[in-house]
Coordinates of all heavy atoms in Angstrom, one line a residue:
L1 N 72.7 8.4 93.6 CA 72.3 7.8 92.4 C 71.1 8.5 91.8 O 70.4 9.2 92.4 CB 71.9 6.3 92.7 CG 73.0 5.3 92.8 CD1 72.7 4.2 93.8 CD2 73.5 4.8 91.5
R2 N 70.9 8.2 90.4 CA 69.8 8.8 89.9 C 68.5 8.1 90.3 O 68.5 7.0 90.8 CB 69.9 8.6 88.3 CG 70.8 9.5 87.7 CD 70.9 9.4 86.2 NE 69.7 9.8 85.5 CZ 69.5 9.9 84.2 NH1 70.5 9.4 83.3 NH2 68.5 10.3 83.7
T3 N 67.3 8.9 90.4 CA 66.1 8.4 90.9 C 65.5 7.3 90.1 O 65.6 7.6 88.8 CB 65.1 9.5 91.1 OG1 65.6 10.5 92.1 CG2 63.8 8.9 91.7
P4 N 65.2 6.1 90.5 CA 64.6 5.1 89.7 C 63.3 5.5 89.1 O 62.6 6.3 89.9 CB 64.4 3.9 90.6 CG 65.3 4.1 91.8 CD 65.4 5.5 91.9
L5 N 63.0 5.2 87.8 CA 61.9 5.6 87.2 C 61.0 4.4 86.8 O 61.7 3.4 86.2 CB 62.2 6.5 85.9 CG 62.9 7.9 86.3 CD1 63.3 8.6 85.0 CD2 62.1 8.8 87.2
T6 N 59.7 4.5 86.8 CA 58.8 3.5 86.3 C 58.6 3.8 84.8 O 59.1 4.8 84.2 CB 57.5 3.5 86.9 OG1 56.8 4.8 86.8 CG2 57.6 3.4 88.5
R7 N 58.1 2.8 84.1 CA 57.7 2.9 82.7 C 56.9 4.2 82.4 O 57.1 5.0 81.5 CB 57.0 1.8 82.3 CG 56.7 1.8 80.7 CD 55.8 0.6 80.3 NE 55.4 0.6 78.9 CZ 55.9 0.0 77.9 NH1 56.8 -0.8 78.1 NH2 55.5 0.2 76.6
E8 N 55.9 4.4 83.4 CA 54.9 5.5 83.3 C 55.7 6.8 83.4 O 55.5 7.8 82.6 CB 53.8 5.4 84.3 CG 52.8 4.3 84.0 CD 53.4 2.9 84.3 OE1 54.3 2.8 85.2 OE2 53.0 1.9 83.7
E9 N 56.5 6.8 84.3 CA 57.4 8.1 84.5 C 58.3 8.3 83.4 O 58.6 9.4 82.9 CB 58.2 8.0 85.8 CG 57.2 8.1 87.1 CD 58.0 7.6 88.3 OE1 59.0 6.9 88.3 OE2 57.6 8.1 89.4
Q10 N 58.9 7.2 82.8 CA 59.6 7.3 81.6 C 59.0 8.0 80.4 O 59.5 8.8 79.6 CB 60.3 6.0 81.2 CG 61.4 5.4 82.1 CD 62.8 5.8 81.6 OE1 63.0 6.5 80.7 NE2 63.7 5.3 82.4
E11 N 57.7 7.6 80.2 CA 57.0 7.9 79.1 C 56.6 9.4 79.1 O 56.3 10.1 78.2 CB 55.7 7.1 79.0 CG 56.1 5.6 78.5 CD 54.8 4.7 78.6 OE1 53.8 5.1 79.2 OE2 54.8 3.6 78.0
K12 N 56.7 10.1 80.3 CA 56.3 11.3 80.5 C 57.5 12.3 80.1 O 57.3 13.5 80.0 CB 55.9 11.7 82.0 CG 54.6 11.1 82.4 CD 54.4 11.5 83.7 CE 53.0 10.8 84.3 NZ 52.7 11.1 85.7
L13 N 58.7 11.6 79.9 CA 59.9 12.4 79.6 C 60.0 12.6 78.1 O 59.5 11.7 77.2 CB 61.1 11.7 80.1 CG 61.3 11.5 81.6 CD1 62.5 10.6 81.9 CD2 61.4 12.9 82.3
P14 N 60.7 13.5 77.6 CA 61.0 13.7 76.2 C 61.8 12.4 75.7 O 62.6 12.0 76.5 CB 61.8 14.9 76.0 CG 61.4 15.8 77.2 CD 61.3 14.7 78.2
P15 N 61.7 11.9 74.5 CA 62.4 10.7 74.1 C 63.9 10.7 74.4 O 64.4 9.7 74.7 CB 62.0 10.6 72.5 CG 60.7 11.3 72.5 CD 60.7 12.4 73.4
H16 N 64.4 11.9 74.1 CA 65.9 11.9 74.3 C 66.5 11.8 75.6 O 67.5 11.7 76.0 CB 66.5 13.2 73.6 CG 66.1 14.5 74.3 ND1 65.0 15.0 74.2 CD2 66.8 15.2 75.2 CE1 64.8 16.2 74.9 NE2 66.0 16.3 75.5
E17 N 65.5 12.0 76.8 CA 65.8 11.8 78.1 C 65.5 10.6 78.7 O 65.8 10.3 79.9 CB 65.0 13.0 78.9 CG 65.5 14.4 78.4 CD 64.7 15.4 79.4 OE1 64.1 15.0 80.5 OE2 64.8 16.6 79.0
R18 N 64.9 9.6 77.9 CA 64.6 8.3 78.5 C 65.8 7.4 78.4 O 66.5 7.4 77.4 CB 63.4 7.7 77.6 CG 62.1 8.5 77.6 CD 61.1 7.8 76.7 NE 60.0 8.8 76.6 CZ 59.1 8.7 75.6 NH1 59.1 7.7 74.7 NH2 58.1 9.6 75.6
D19 N 66.0 6.7 79.5 CA 67.3 6.0 79.6 C 66.9 4.6 80.2 O 66.3 4.6 81.4 CB 68.2 6.8 80.5 CG 69.6 6.1 80.5 OD1 69.7 4.9 80.5 OD2 70.6 6.8 80.5
M20 N 67.2 3.5 79.6 CA 66.8 2.2 80.1 C 67.6 1.9 81.4 O 67.1 1.2 82.2 CB 67.2 1.1 79.1 CG 68.6 0.9 78.8 SD 68.8 -0.4 77.6 CE 70.6 -0.4 77.4
F21 N 68.7 2.5 81.8 CA 69.3 2.2 83.0 C 68.8 2.9 84.1 O 69.0 2.5 85.3 CB 70.8 2.5 82.9 CG 71.5 1.8 81.8 CD1 72.6 2.4 81.1 CD2 71.3 0.5 81.5 CE1 73.4 1.8 80.1 CE2 71.9 -0.2 80.5 CZ 73.0 0.4 79.8
T22 N 67.9 3.9 84.0 CA 67.2 4.4 85.1 C 65.8 3.8 85.3 O 65.2 4.2 86.3 CB 67.0 6.0 85.0 OG1 66.3 6.3 83.7 CG2 68.4 6.8 84.8
F23 N 65.5 3.0 84.5 CA 64.2 2.3 84.6 C 64.3 1.3 85.7 O 65.2 0.4 85.6 CB 63.7 1.7 83.4 CG 62.5 0.8 83.5 CD1 61.4 1.2 83.6 CD2 62.8 -0.7 83.4 CE1 60.2 0.2 83.9 CE2 61.8 -1.6 83.7 CZ 60.5 -1.0 83.9
V24 N 63.3 1.2 86.5 CA 63.3 0.2 87.6 C 61.9 -0.3 87.8 O 60.9 0.6 88.0 CB 63.9 0.6 89.0 CG1 63.6 -0.5 90.0 CG2 65.3 1.0 88.8
S25 N 61.6 -1.6 87.5 CA 60.2 -2.1 87.7 C 59.8 -1.9 89.2 O 60.6 -2.1 90.1 CB 60.2 -3.5 87.3 OG 60.5 -3.7 86.0
P26 N 58.5 -1.8 89.4 CA 58.0 -1.7 90.9 C 58.4 -3.1 91.5 O 58.3 -4.1 91.0 CB 56.5 -1.6 90.7 CG 56.3 -0.9 89.2 CD 57.4 -1.5 88.4
F27 N 58.7 -2.8 92.8 CA 59.1 -4.0 93.6 C 57.8 -4.9 93.8 O 56.8 -4.5 94.1 CB 59.5 -3.6 95.0 CG 60.0 -4.7 95.9 CD1 61.2 -5.2 95.6 CD2 59.3 -5.1 97.0 CE1 61.8 -6.2 96.4 CE2 59.8 -6.2 97.7 CZ 61.1 -6.8 97.5
N28 N 58.0 -6.3 93.3 CA 56.9 -7.0 93.4 C 57.3 -8.5 93.5 O 57.6 -9.2 92.5 CB 56.1 -7.0 92.0 CG 54.9 -7.9 91.9 OD1 54.4 -8.4 93.0 ND2 54.2 -7.8 90.7

């Protein structure tokens, strides 16, 4: 599977590489 990314990790990517399905909130 693709590696889960936090919001902060998503924001470091170019806009065209951000994908809502790879976003995973921290376990809490």
Side-chain angles (χ1 to χ4, degrees):
L1 280 155
R2 291 182 68 175
T3 302
L5 299 177
T6 65
R7 180 186 176 106
E8 292 71 26
E9 290 168 332
Q10 288 265 7
E11 289 175 345
K12 293 178 182 178
L13 298 174
H16 69 279
E17 293 183 14
R18 298 173 192 171
D19 190 324
M20 66 182 177
F21 297 146
T22 58
F23 167 76
V24 176
S25 294
F27 187 74
N28 184 10

